[in-house]
Amino acid sequence: IAGSGTGKESILQAFNDIHIAADISGAVHGKIKSEQEVVRNLLRHQACYYNIDELGIFLRQLASSHKSGGAAYLQGVIGMLMSAYSKASGTMLLSGDVKEEAKEKLLREIASLNKKADQGIDCQSDIDSLEKQITGLDRGLHNPFLSVMGFSTPTTFNDSVSFEQITSGFIGRSLIINEPDTNPRAKRDFAPVDMPDSLVDQLIGLRANGSISKRIESNGSYNIITTQPDAKEFLMECSDWFWNEAEKHTERTGFEAVVRRGYEMVEKVSFILAFGSTERTLECVEWANEYVRRDIE
């Protein structure tokens, strides 16, 4: 959340550059048209990364569709986003119509790849991936990964947030980064630089999973990141703090849903900080805890 003309566009472009460098830009989308589109994107790739400019305006459209009863295709978007977000280590069940439509589409893609294979083009890894998707459709989407990055001005965003969104868990699942300075000074002699090769190499290393497929999915072996004993102990202290804070809000504001997900956020952010190493340290957890507590405030 930042004022107009303060540099949100450069962050949006950096998001895109990172996904391009990691070779996962095929799963990046700039808009959300409907609940059905979210499902189709997750069928196409295991991951679905939204990078939305003017998110506040989009949230306002969603709220308006609920009040007026119009734009039915938008009314289930928030529920679908929350459901998919929470299934990253589980299974997301699909409706019968969606499953049949998806099977037909996948069978057509397999037929097309088989024709290429007859011409001597090696498509076996893609065919295997599609056949695996068809087999798994009846069991639902396995470990779908959905994220939303959004940009908005303070006025637009604040006007779009409702009590329902806060208590339903949508805001609780979010990290809100708010820039209070709406008139920052320009950086003198600033010149943008290309992404360093060392960072590109790190991103490629995190993305590599032992196989190549057109579908962006996690189908290789995992690297295990352990947690140091002092970091585990501090995590338990964090859990107690978030529970106590949520208990206060059950009586004062009714916003305990925002606080209750704080510990989950600390787990996620601290693990992100540990990516590329073998251990999650106390420093990772302390940094994540402070970051999330400021977000809750």
Side-chain angles (χ1 to χ4, degrees):
I1 317 295
S4 179
T6 56
K8 296 190 293 295
E9 181 64 26
S10 62
I11 303 173
L12 186 149
Q13 292 301 328
F15 178 104
N16 291 337
D17 291 343
I18 288 169
H19 287 74
I20 290 170
D23 196 24
I24 53 175
S25 58
V28 177
H29 312 283
K31 291 183 178 180
I32 302 175
K33 291 183 179 179
S34 67
E35 174 186 0
Q36 290 76 17
E37 185 204 40
V38 175
V39 175
R40 286 196 293 270
N41 287 337
L42 287 169
L43 285 167
R44 189 177 299 112
H45 299 290
Q46 183 185 18
C48 178
Y49 315 107
Y50 284 106
N51 189 16
I52 302 176
D53 196 10
E54 302 299 344
L55 179 65
I57 293 175
F58 174 68
L59 292 175
R60 187 182 291 172
Q61 290 173 340
L62 294 180
S64 177
S65 69
H66 278 278
K67 289 179 182 178
S68 65
Y73 54 88
L74 287 176
Q75 293 179 18
V77 167
I78 291 292
M80 178 56 67
L81 293 177
M82 290 196 295
S83 177
Y85 174 87
S86 300
K87 300 295 190 299
S89 57
T91 301
M92 180 177 167
L93 298 177
L94 304 172
S95 68
D97 290 345
V98 169
K99 282 190 284 190
E100 289 305 312
E101 180 184 333
K103 284 180 182 178
E104 291 176 5
K105 179 176 180 293
L106 292 171
L107 287 170
R108 287 195 298 269
E109 290 184 25
I110 289 175
S112 175
L113 289 172
N114 280 327
K115 288 181 180 178
K116 292 182 179 179
D118 291 339
Q119 298 170 7
I121 301 173
D122 184 11
C123 306
Q124 194 56 50
S125 62
D126 291 326
I127 292 173
D128 291 343
S129 176
L130 292 172
E131 289 177 344
K132 183 179 177 182
Q133 290 177 58
I134 292 175
T135 304
L137 273 174
D138 288 334
R139 297 193 295 268
L141 294 176
H142 180 62
N143 292 354
F145 183 89
L146 181 139
S147 70
V148 178
M149 176 85 159
F151 304 83
S152 183
T153 58
T155 303
T156 306
F157 181 78
N158 294 340
D159 290 347
S160 68
V161 175
S162 65
F163 182 82
E164 180 185 356
Q165 286 175 357
I166 295 172
T167 55
S168 69
F170 179 71
I171 296 298
R173 287 171 170 84
S174 307
L175 285 169
I176 299 174
I177 293 85
N178 186 42
E179 173 51 66
D181 186 358
T182 57
N183 186 32
R185 285 186 178 276
K187 295 181 180 179
R188 295 190 177 186
D189 300 323
F190 172 78
V193 296
D194 293 332
M195 188 183 300
D197 291 340
S198 58
L199 179 55
V200 174
D201 291 341
Q202 282 185 297
L203 292 169
I204 293 172
L206 289 170
R207 165 68 173 90
N209 60 0
S211 66
I212 299 173
S213 172
K214 289 182 179 178
R215 186 172 193 259
I216 294 168
E217 59 186 350
S218 177
N219 54 11
S221 60
Y222 290 97
N223 291 324
I224 304 300
I225 299 176
T226 59
T227 304
Q228 292 180 350
D230 54 353
K232 280 186 179 180
E233 186 176 343
F234 187 67
L235 279 169
M236 292 302 96
E237 294 177 14
C238 293
S239 177
D240 291 339
W241 186 88
F242 285 111
W243 184 87
N244 287 322
E245 193 68 13
E247 190 71 5
K248 296 176 186 176
H249 282 276
T250 57
E251 300 176 359
R252 291 199 322 229
T253 64
F255 290 164
E256 64 273 8
V258 175
V259 185
R260 283 188 59 81
R261 288 192 176 272
Y263 177 75
E264 176 185 317
M265 289 292 183
V266 172
E267 285 273 22
K268 291 189 176 190
V269 173
S270 61
F271 259 124
I272 289 171
L273 293 173
F275 279 2
S277 63
T278 58
E279 287 188 309
R280 178 169 57 164
T281 64
L282 176 61
E283 184 181 15
C284 293
V285 178
E286 286 180 333
W287 195 97
N289 179 60
E290 182 63 22
Y291 190 66
V292 174
R293 284 175 63 162
R294 292 187 189 190
D295 167 71
I296 287 174
E297 290 172 9

